[in-house]
Amino acid sequence: MSEIKPKELRIIGFLCNWCSYGGADTAGVSRFKQPTDLRIIRVPCSGRVDPLFIVKALLNGADGVLVSGCHPRDCHYSDGNFYARRRLEMLKRFLPFIGIDEKRFHYTWVSASEGARWQQVVTNFTKQIHMLGSLHSKTGEQSES
Amino acid sequence: MRVGVFICHCGNNIAGTIDVKKVAEEVRKLPGVVYATDYMYTCSEPGQEEIKQAIQNERLDRVVVASCSPRMHELTFRRTVEKAGLNRYFLEMANIREHISWIGEDKELNTKKAIDLVTMAIFKAIKNKPLYSTSFKVNKRVLVIGGGVAGMQAALDCADGGLQVILVEKNPSIGGMMARLDKTFPTIDCSICILGPKMVDVAQHENIKLYTYSEVEDVKGYVGNYQITIRKKATYVDWTKCTGCGECMEKCPSKNAYDYFNFGVAPTRAINIPFPQAIPKKARIDKNYCRQFIKGKCGVCAKICPTGAINYEMQDEIITEDVGAIIVATGYGLIDLEKLPEYGGGRYPDVISGIQYERLLNASGPTSGHILRPSDRTEPKTIVFVSCAGSRDKSIGIPYCSNFCCMYIAKQAILTKDHIPDSQSYVFYMDIRSPGKGYDEFTRRAQEDYGVYYIRGRVSRIYPKGKKMVVRGADTLLGTQVEIEADLVVLGTAVVASQGARELAEKLHISYDTHGFYVESHPKLRPVETNTSGVFLAGANQGPKDIPASVGQGSAAASKVLALFSKDMLESDPAIAVVNPNACVGCLKCLQTCPFGAIQEEELRGGKKVAKVIQTVCAGCGVCTSTCPCGAIQLQHFTDNQILAEVNALCQR
């Protein structure tokens, strides 16, 4: 973790209650150390994540957004994660049009038993955002685009 | 708005790496917060009492508890605020233990993050609305999937408790793995002698409806009201006529059918009754081996059957059953010998698995209880047992211990000596794992009284030499190479998830781990519950388990179902989608996306068509809410405004 600069960036995670939130809990219970930048919002299903939440977050101050749900075919609500995948895949392509690097957004699948995988996901995504730097410079202008 | 914030130390779990006093101090400054405090153990009785007192004294109308995961204690604190007169949905939790204090080392950063998470929870709590549950009727019937010892125990306990039980078993007979065993450890009790009467009880119980050779095809509904579709596979024998006399089996000319019951250690006939104590004791034709099906002519069984039960035209039957709860007891599978090339990979007939050896020991097995080598049917004198065949081996993706192999190997070694007094058994082991009542004494008895030679070390290779099998391995205690010329090698093969376990989990919406074992709701405190309410687990589908543990879990799952059904009405979760008919434009995109068919079209008095949520069917995923183009359908407790409040708490730049 030494490569990560000490200054924290703002990363928001939308996690489904049944798999990924549980996975993050499992990582906690297993004491899998992670960078501290991420703030998690619990939603019932990744299918509940409206792409607009992500856009709003990125425009209003977040430097990165992570969405994680149940693995395909293992959704607590049958196929909520399939809807999520379609929407989020669209969003990924749309982000550059509003001047946001699509690398600032990532979606993945982590099950409730995959604490180690969650640690990997968080560490890698935090590294990626730190490599991109802050999206919102102090003058209020976006540092890219 | 009067928000009260309670920050838990959780002993040192939270307070060790988060400055809880500072968190309380900072959030006290936020608008709407009138009370913020920290406490050693908020979940303890005095901790909960403090919340109740504060609600009354400070006239709080929102409560935020910052502690462990809401998956752990949300229900606890919801009950607490409810007891103090608040609506339970006015509680919000901030997970500062699993998501902060246990994963971050820097106290300053942790404290900053904790302030953020508590702020988010406060913003959300302020937007929360009171919600009220409605009650609905419970169908007091229970489905048990799997007729092994765990499923049978669960079915019998439920049935004795007065519930109607539907027991579905995919094989032609109930009994599962235990019915195949010769003896059980550590008492060397006869397995079928203690299981047989239970099987008869299941068959004769007036409250149990048994579907064997059947599989669950589809599951619809929710706790209290499930609709189950069951496929009753064609047996090509009319079971209402079959008396189980077994004459067809004697005369069947197709003698090389795979015997699933004996794990293929010897062939069976294409039409067969799996074992003498089978329940139901009825014949079934294996289509893959029957000459009538392969060549289109034979019909010997039809000619011989005294009751005319054979029906080659039989089709699968689809049955539907309505139940209120489901117990999953689908058991385990065993690793294929092909995945273990160093042990011959299944190429040598005299290298067999433990369960196959069990059948050779069994009086109702293919050798009538005489230990004979599969290759030449001679009595083996030197027998080598290899424990951990596949288990505790990361390289093949099985890092876990299979739980009961150490014990059954000791048992089989003892039985071998009883069967063939001049035989010598060797056991290669990594560790002897015998943590159970009388278990360690038992493995010692094998060594001390029966002269079984235990070698600590792994086997590197097994290869044939003449009529013998050479087992080459290491003795790590003596630090030498060992080579034993064995007549028979028995592998303690790894326990794996049963075939079709993943597909069934997907039908039931329960989770499974990377190995395919089902995940319980809490590893310590909710061992038979799943995250899907109304679905319970019993036995080895959740991880390798021996008989007493499986039976215990079967009873535990049954007691959970009985407790659930002790009420006539269940309370529904009010966190479901609600349509605002004024905002709805009637595009019905929600109807198309809803995974549960919980939305229907409704015509208002003015003729306007809008969407309507069927309350009992909605499961609360919120897919519709993110689909609606005009925000007219909102998932309660997770509305757009509530989630955005959390986003805004973080992003105010």
Side-chain angles (χ1 to χ4, degrees), chain A residues 8 10 17-18 21 25 28 33-34 36 38-39 42 47-48 60-61 73 76-79 83 87, chain B residues 69 71 74 95 99 102-103 112-113 116 506 509 531-532 593 595 621 626-627 638 640 650-651 653:
Chain A
E8 275 198 333
R10 183 120 297 181
N17 178 49
W18 303 101
Y21 198 91
D25 281 359
K33 300 291 175 227
Q34 298 154 39
T36 47
L38 178 74
R39 312 287 189 253
R42 184 166 68 127
R48 174 64 192 94
N60 292 347
R73 296 181 61 82
H76 185 76
Y77 301 106
S78 301
D79 35 33
Y83 287 107
R87 287 178 190 142
Chain B
S69 172
R71 283 166 59 100
E74 193 169 51
N95 184 351
H99 291 185
W102 276 351
I103 57 163
K112 200 174 137 220
K113 184 171 176 182
D116 277 357
E506 284 155 16
H509 306 308
N531 281 331
T532 301
T593 51
C621 63
S626 350
T627 306
F638 290 98
D640 287 341
L650 288 170
C651 309
R653 275 181 275 189

Side-chain angles (χ1 to χ4, degrees), chain B residues 145-165:
Chain B
I145 309 173
V149 70
M152 281 162 48
Q153 184 67 37
L156 283 170
D157 285 0
C158 286
D160 286 344
L163 303 180
Q164 291 288 322
V165 181

Side-chain angles (χ1 to χ4, degrees), chain B residues 11 45 47 81-82 216 265 353 387 391 487 522 544:
Chain B
E45 210 185 338
V81 300
E82 207 163 48
V216 172
V265 74
S353 68
S387 65
S391 313
D487 297 313
H522 190 279

Side-chain angles (χ1 to χ4, degrees), chain B residues 264-277:
Chain B
V265 74
T268 185
R269 307 291 169 99
I271 185 165
N272 64 73
I273 297 168
F275 57 109
Q277 298 89 343

